[in-house]
Amino acid sequence: MPVDRHSPAPERVSPVLSKLRKAYPEATIALEYASPLECVVATILSAQSTDATVNTVTPALFAKYRKPEDYLAVPEEELQQDIHATGFFRQKTKSLRGMARVLIDEFDGEVPRKVEQLVKLPGVARKTANVVQSACFPEMVSKDPSAGIAVDTHVGRISVRLGFSKRDSKDAVKIEQDLLELVPKRHWGKVSYLFIDHGRAICTAKKPLCGDCPIERLCPSSQEAGLPDLFRTTAKPRPPRKPPRQG
Ligand code: SF4
């Protein structure tokens, strides 16, 4: 029987990834960096910001701050000013300086390679750690028992639409657990970028372009086929509005 949208999720994963690889052959991290330290810094700065904005700030930043010690050598206000355009600059400055301090004290100034070590760095949650590992140390993804898949808003939404997870699309931890069971390990480093590119180009949150979608035949949420959008139907219902106060 040919695999189609009615096939169980484990049977659809490989054809979905294969079609997405063909559709987005360049899918990769959009942040620009030239070393693991720069990658960690850029991913910390990308929280609540866009990759494009971060990429406008980092060339000057990386020319000035070349090693972890450099982030501790300037007054806090100076670093805040240097990253100001990425937003939340006070918190991000704290994270960058804390990250630099832990790198120096615990890792001889080198960015560690395991996810369980990366998450010890201030400002580096599991998603960031997965991004840094797959971007800078791809050979570690298959060896590191703590390795995983970076789940952002696009990855969450598309996983749910494809029926790869039945969780709330915002529950990144549980979506990641579901994907880790379903996606072959050799794809862990790439799957996030494929879903991100697809989420930006075709499978947008508000109006997915199902008629133009390369995996439409494999998708149980296809609007083209008149199906309910699983991303909408699994979203948590909003709490009822409080009645207006009387008098
Ligand atoms: S068919 Fe529609 S909902 Fe399904 S992956 Fe494609 S664009 Fe998204």
Side-chain angles (χ1 to χ4, degrees):
M1 276 245 299
V3 177
D4 64 14
R5 73 178 99 252
H6 305 294
S7 306
E11 288 177 25
R12 288 183 291 115
V13 170
S14 285
V16 161
L17 294 178
S18 156
K19 283 182 184 299
L20 290 180
R21 283 179 94 102
K22 277 191 197 131
Y24 309 103
E26 310 288 331
T28 188
I29 187 167
L31 295 167
E32 291 164 5
Y33 60 91
S35 69
L37 175 63
E38 291 184 3
C39 183
V40 174
V41 171
T43 47
I44 288 173
L45 294 180
S46 70
Q48 313 289 330
S49 185
T50 66
D51 293 345
T53 300
V54 173
N55 288 341
T56 63
V57 168
T58 48
L61 189 75
F62 294 157
K64 181 171 172 183
Y65 302 84
R66 293 176 178 274
K67 50 188 190 307
E69 288 81 354
D70 297 339
Y71 289 90
L72 299 166
V74 296
E76 208 165 283
E77 295 72 26
E78 188 173 332
L79 182 52
Q80 286 179 357
Q81 196 54 43
D82 289 338
I83 63 165
H84 189 274
T86 68
F88 296 90
F89 56 91
R90 289 191 187 85
Q91 182 54 43
K92 288 179 183 177
T93 294
K94 281 195 176 38
S95 295
L96 290 180
R97 287 163 73 87
M99 177 273 295
R101 172 55 54 207
V102 175
L103 280 187
I104 294 164
D105 290 349
E106 294 188 30
F107 298 105
D108 290 331
E110 298 289 331
V111 175
R113 291 166 178 245
K114 291 184 177 171
V115 167
E116 65 180 11
Q117 295 169 317
L118 285 161
V119 294
K120 289 185 179 169
L121 304 174
V124 177
R126 194 169 161 84
K127 182 185 107 184
T128 311
N130 286 331
V131 168
V132 171
Q133 185 186 59
S134 66
C136 301
F137 313 114
E139 74 288 354
M140 287 299 296
V141 176
S142 58
K143 294 183 201 157
D144 175 10
S146 57
I149 294 173
V151 175
D152 74 348
T153 171
H154 297 292
V155 177
R157 180 176 72 254
I158 290 171
S159 300
V160 170
R161 275 186 173 152
L162 287 171
F164 291 172
S165 177
K166 292 188 168 58
R167 322 289 187 144
D168 180 342
S169 68
K170 292 193 180 68
D171 192 337
V173 173
K174 290 190 174 148
I175 299 260
E176 183 186 0
Q177 285 169 359
D178 289 343
L179 289 178
L180 292 180
E181 281 184 23
L182 208 53
V183 176
K185 212 166 194 179
R186 66 182 183 283
H187 296 302
W188 285 8
K190 193 79 172 172
V191 62
S192 306
Y193 302 123
L194 292 172
F195 282 10
I196 288 168
D197 277 12
H198 188 52
R200 286 184 176 146
I202 304 270
C203 193
T204 56
K206 281 192 183 154
K207 207 171 182 318
L209 305 172
C210 302
D212 297 328
C213 177
I215 50 173
E216 191 275 332
R217 208 174 50 79
L218 295 161
C219 177
S221 294
S222 169
Q223 318 286 288
E224 189 73 359
L227 295 167
D229 182 349
L230 294 173
F231 167 57
R232 301 281 167 213
T233 52
T234 56
K236 279 195 176 149
R238 286 190 184 166
R241 277 192 183 169
K242 283 184 185 165
R245 278 193 189 167
Q246 301 294 319

